[in-house]
Structure formats: C-alpha cells, structure tokens
C-alpha cells in the first residue's frame, strides 16, 4: 500500500459534514455496469453545475480511476486526512486504486480489514463542500455493504440506486438487493436497466441482444421508481476506455438522454428532500 498510514484514527472527523447528498449505487451481481453509471451520473451532475465526489468502495475491482483517466494519481495527506484526487478540478475521487503499489495488485484481504478501510474512507478523507457524493459499491449484499451503510448513516444519505441488466438472472439478484435496502433502512431512489438494447453505430437502430423490460417490470412489481433504460452504445464504451467525458462529447448518442434523465431524477429527489 501507499498513500499514508492505514491504521484507524483515534477520533473520527466529520469529513462528510460538507456533503449535502450521498447516493449509493448497488447491484446484485457484477458486470451490470454499476461503475459506468457512477461515472456518468457524476459527470451529468457536474454538467448540471453541481460539486460532485465519487467514493469507490469496490475494493477488489476499483475501476472508477481508469474510467476517469486518473489511474496514475496518488492521494496525499493534509491536516484533516487524505486529500481526494481531483479529476479536472471538478470531481473529487477516492479509491483503493490510488493506494496500491502496482495497478495489477490484488486486494487479498479478509472482511475486517476491508471494513476498516471503508470506515477510514468515510471518516478520514477531506471531501470539503460537495453537493453529491456517489458511492460505488461491490456486487452483492456482503459485510462490506453493511459497513458502508453503517458508516454513512450519520450523514446525508439520500438513498440507493439499483442497477440491473434485462436478463432474468440479473433481475433476480436485484430483488435480493431490494431486500437488503429495506432491511438496512435505505431509501430506494429507483432501478436502472443497463445494457437495454444495442445501438448500431452505423444505422443507430437499437437491437435487444438480451431481453428487455425486466428492470421496469421489477420496479412496477415492487413499487419503487424506475429511473430508465440505458442502451449499449459503442460511444459510451469508448469514452470509458479512454477516460473521456461522454456527457460533454457525445450529446447525440442514444445513451445521452437516458443518462441525463436519470441524473435529473436524482436532482429532483434531492431538492424534495432538502
């Protein structure tokens, strides 16, 4: 590890005191595009004039730094704790990816050590004044999720966004995530159906490679908001691979209105809760 002392501090500092709204992004299984949604939601909120941070607590698969082209950055210490990495001076970012000696190092830790780092990310990072903190979580409903929710509960926890793909197996996993949210007392902001059709880069026709509508049907069945469908779009994939700002560079993409609509609904919910 690099980036300073990993031991827990004696006194917890209210490093999230200046954050107005915290949004958890959850998924029942891996590979559904949870980190993609976190990245694009942060970019969309930034373009809406909001101060945004991303806390990446997916300790075994930290992909956010690469998606924002910040993977070669390192965190530093200040009087109030770790200073997050700033992407374009606009998005504050903290991830275990910045603390590894080599980017290919595996995090082979037992639960207690993971939980201690999650707690330290919450208490010992100098986030400053933010309108939104987006929290990218690992797949599932493990002790890491419990630790994250418990650490964030004293602060302005707006709620959770659940990400699924259209297939029945993914929707089934999100059902379990819904159960976790309710047991944990988390408000469910809504469900996003990702990879909902493939947009042809030549004719722009959208083809349902997988099934379609599973996320929307689940939202109706469980009585939670449906935030929208995001299609598979080569332009979105390219922007993530290259660490580019999709929201700024590809406004004509089929995924653009879906992502900005999701961000607007988060904004509307935050305004109602204020």
């Amino acid at each position: 590890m690099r980036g300073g002392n990993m031991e827990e501090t004696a006194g917890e500092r209210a490093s999230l005191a200046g954050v107005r709204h915290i949004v958890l992004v959850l998924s029942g299984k891996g590979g559904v595009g949870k980190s993609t949604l976190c990245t694009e939601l942060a970019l969309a909120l930034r373009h809406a004039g909001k101060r945004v941070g991303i806390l990446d607590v997916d300790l075994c698969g930290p992909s956010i730094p690469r998606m924002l082209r910040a993977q070669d950055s390192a965190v530093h210490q200040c009087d109030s704790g770790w200073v997050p990495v700033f992407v374009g001076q606009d998005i504050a970012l903290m991830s275990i990816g910045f603390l590894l000696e080599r980017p290919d190092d595996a995090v082979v830790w037992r639960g207690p050590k993971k939980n201690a780092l999650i707690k330290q990310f919450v208490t010992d990072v100098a986030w400053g004044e933010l309108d939104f903190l987006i929290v990218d979580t690992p797949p599932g409903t493990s002790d890491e999720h419990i630790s994250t929710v418990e650490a964030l509960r004293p602060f302005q926890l707006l709620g959770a966004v659940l990400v699924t793909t259209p297939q029945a197996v993914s929707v089934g996993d999100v059902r379990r995530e819904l159960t976790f949210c309710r047991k944990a007392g988390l408000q469910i902001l809504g469900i996003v159906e990702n990879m909902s059709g493939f947009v042809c880069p030549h004719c722009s026709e959208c083809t349902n490679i997988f099934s379609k509508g599973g996320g929307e049907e689940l939202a109706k069945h469980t009585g939670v908001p449906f935030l929208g469908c995001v299609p598979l779009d080569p332009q979105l994939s390219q922007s993530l691979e290259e660490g580019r700002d999709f929201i700024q560079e590809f406004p004509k993409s089929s995924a653009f209105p879906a992502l900005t609509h999701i961000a607007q609904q988060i904004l509307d919910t935050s305004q109602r809760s204020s």
Side-chain angles (χ1 to χ4, degrees):
M1 283 288 179
R2 65 183 184 185
N5 183 14
M6 296 294 296
E7 297 298 323
E8 286 187 279
T9 55
E12 294 185 3
R13 290 181 289 271
S15 60
L16 289 173
V19 178
R20 295 182 61 198
H21 304 290
I22 301 170
V23 177
L24 287 170
V25 179
L26 305 170
S27 66
K29 68 193 304 293
V32 299
K34 176 174 45 58
S35 297
T36 294
L37 183 66
C38 286
T39 300
E40 300 309 326
L41 182 57
L43 290 169
L45 290 170
R46 182 185 72 175
H47 284 293
K50 302 302 179 182
R51 297 164 297 182
V52 185
I54 304 178
L55 173 55
D56 182 3
V57 296
D58 190 350
L59 303 184
C60 294
S63 53
I64 298 285
R66 177 171 179 174
M67 290 180 173
L68 289 170
R69 198 159 44 180
Q71 67 268 33
D72 295 327
S73 303
V75 296
H76 302 283
Q77 294 276 359
C78 68
D79 291 341
S80 53
W82 284 334
V83 179
V85 169
F86 283 87
V87 179
Q89 305 302 313
D90 290 314
I91 297 178
L93 174 59
M94 177 56 70
S95 170
I96 195 174
F98 300 136
L99 305 176
L100 300 175
E101 292 290 347
R102 295 175 295 275
D104 293 333
D105 284 351
V107 178
V108 187
W109 290 357
R110 295 187 183 275
K113 192 170 183 180
K114 289 182 180 180
N115 297 340
L117 180 59
I118 289 170
K119 186 177 181 181
Q120 195 164 10
F121 275 169
V122 171
T123 59
D124 291 348
V125 177
W127 291 105
E129 298 291 325
L130 296 177
D131 295 303
F132 290 92
L133 179 67
I134 312 298
V135 183
D136 186 19
T137 64
T141 55
S142 67
D143 57 345
E144 293 160 65
H145 299 80
I146 297 171
S147 296
T148 301
V149 172
E150 290 305 313
L152 292 172
R153 199 181 296 280
F155 303 100
Q156 303 300 319
L157 190 50
L158 184 64
V161 174
L162 309 184
V163 185
T164 185
T165 55
Q167 304 100 309
V169 64
S170 179
V171 172
D173 287 333
V174 171
R175 287 181 186 272
R176 288 185 281 275
E177 203 74 49
L178 280 165
T179 303
F180 169 80
C181 290
R182 285 168 174 160
K183 287 184 176 180
L186 269 178
Q187 179 185 354
I188 300 168
L189 303 177
I191 295 174
V192 173
E193 182 177 297
N194 194 29
M195 306 183 195
S196 185
F198 169 72
V199 179
C200 175
H202 303 292
C203 68
S204 298
E205 181 180 347
C206 188
T207 303
N208 295 324
I209 297 177
F210 310 121
S211 56
K212 183 175 176 63
E216 186 171 9
E217 184 63 30
L218 176 62
K220 289 179 181 177
H221 180 71
T222 55
V224 302
F226 181 67
L227 300 179
C229 297
V230 181
L232 280 166
D233 188 328
Q235 291 179 320
L236 177 56
S237 301
Q238 179 186 359
S239 70
L240 291 165
E241 286 291 324
E242 299 175 359
R244 296 162 64 185
D245 187 338
F246 172 81
I247 299 298
Q248 180 177 21
E249 295 185 32
F250 298 101
K252 295 183 179 180
S253 162
S254 298
F256 176 88
L259 290 165
T260 53
H261 180 62
I262 292 166
Q264 185 59 53
Q265 291 176 89
I266 300 299
L267 277 170
D268 293 343
T269 301
S270 69
Q271 290 167 0
R272 289 193 298 268
S273 70
S274 298

